[in-house]
Amino acid sequence: MNGWLDGLGRGLLRQWLKNRIPPARRLRLRHRSVFILPSRAGFGVLLLLAIMLIGAINYQNSLVYALVFLLGSLFWVSLHHTYRNLAGLELRATGSRSVFAGEAAPFTLTLSARSHDHQSLKLCWPGQQAQRVDVTRGQDTVVTLYHTTERRGWFRPDRLRVETRFPLGWFVAWSLIDLKLQTLVYPQPIDAPLPRAGRGGEGEGEEPQGEGVEDFQGLRSYQPGDSRRRLDWRAWSRGQGLHSKVFAEPLHNSLWLRLEAAPGADLDQRLGCLARWILRLEKDGQPYGLDLPGRRHEPGIGEVHRDACLQTLALYGAAP
């Protein structure tokens, strides 16, 4: 019963936050998205002021009255400065990188300040390591935050907490924002012996060729993910555009990776074996193909081919 109530309360809170602070790739904190309350130190100051005020009334001490009013004014002013230190901050998601399950996924954010500096900001997800940063007016500040991952597939972290206690620590101002962050998590690699190699093609005549690392075949237009080692910098310096060098390798040396050949007690373990084989073959420079029920990648090698195969493993069997 208590668990059901807790789940209902969290669901209502998420819906309320979604309506008040809608998800966006770029967000500027305003009065609707900033919350503020006294901190423990702030409540201690309030208690101290109450005790001092009672003493001043009892003993009719003008100096104590003056001190109470002075500290009360400072308390009120610090509230506005703490709120101002967070309000107006602009955050935008600028990138992420795929990782393997069990690793910490990096998310890159860019923080901007238009009207004034923002000092002693703290950014964190629940249960994750926090990072503190200062943002200077007129300059972009790039921050990389990390979140642990457990399962393969698309990973979307919870709302990010941004808070500050500047300048006196008597108040804490915070916001819970959703920058639509996500990254792809590959299966966790599991060591297993490689299966025996099979022929990538059959028949007589010219031997089939696939993308590899041996014979230079020519140039093609640059594609995102191409290795920098294969870029033709000479052609780029001559103003002919950015091209990548294409190499070929006989496909008889290629190895087909199939799900039924991978050992494991469940699907995730078998996919983890396939992931380890892909990394090993890529490191050795041996062409490989991936053959899964409903999805097939022809033999090849290179970063683009590797990432395409790992993405297939990460999303295999996932709900659309």
Side-chain angles (χ1 to χ4, degrees), residues 168-215:
L168 299 179
W170 292 351
F171 287 89
V172 52
W174 77 95
S175 183
L176 298 172
I177 61 175
D178 184 356
L179 295 177
K180 296 183 177 180
L181 299 170
Q182 70 173 12
T183 190
L184 187 62
V185 180
Y186 301 140
Q188 183 178 14
I190 298 177
D191 290 329
L194 279 168
R196 294 184 178 181
R199 293 187 60 87
E202 296 180 357
E204 300 179 354
E206 185 178 355
E207 189 173 30
Q209 300 282 319
E211 186 176 354
V213 295
E214 290 188 354
D215 300 327

Side-chain angles (χ1 to χ4, degrees), residues 35-150:
F35 313 101
I36 186 168
L37 281 174
S39 62
R40 289 185 178 181
F43 281 114
V45 172
L46 285 177
L47 179 60
L48 177 62
L49 289 176
I51 295 174
M52 292 174 62
L53 181 60
I54 294 173
I57 294 174
N58 287 338
Y59 294 100
Q60 294 297 310
N61 191 314
S62 300
L63 290 178
V64 178
Y65 271 122
L67 183 59
V68 169
F69 294 149
L70 177 62
L71 291 178
S73 301
L74 185 60
F75 185 85
W76 181 254
V77 171
S78 68
L79 182 150
H80 293 278
H81 277 277
T82 303
Y83 167 80
R84 183 177 181 271
N85 191 52
L86 193 58
L89 179 68
E90 187 175 286
L91 304 96
R92 63 181 184 272
T94 52
S96 62
R97 177 174 56 83
S98 299
V99 296
F100 293 94
E103 296 179 345
F107 296 95
T108 304
L109 310 179
T110 300
L111 283 62
S112 305
R114 294 185 180 181
S115 58
H116 58 274
D117 296 346
H118 301 271
Q119 304 179 45
S120 299
L121 301 177
K122 178 182 176 182
L123 297 87
C124 66
W125 284 290
Q128 305 297 317
Q129 185 176 3
Q131 185 164 342
R132 299 183 182 275
V133 64
D134 296 332
V135 182
T136 305
R137 175 186 175 184
Q139 298 182 5
D140 289 343
T141 301
V142 179
V143 179
T144 301
L145 302 175
Y146 293 87
H147 197 299
T148 56
T149 60
E150 296 180 358

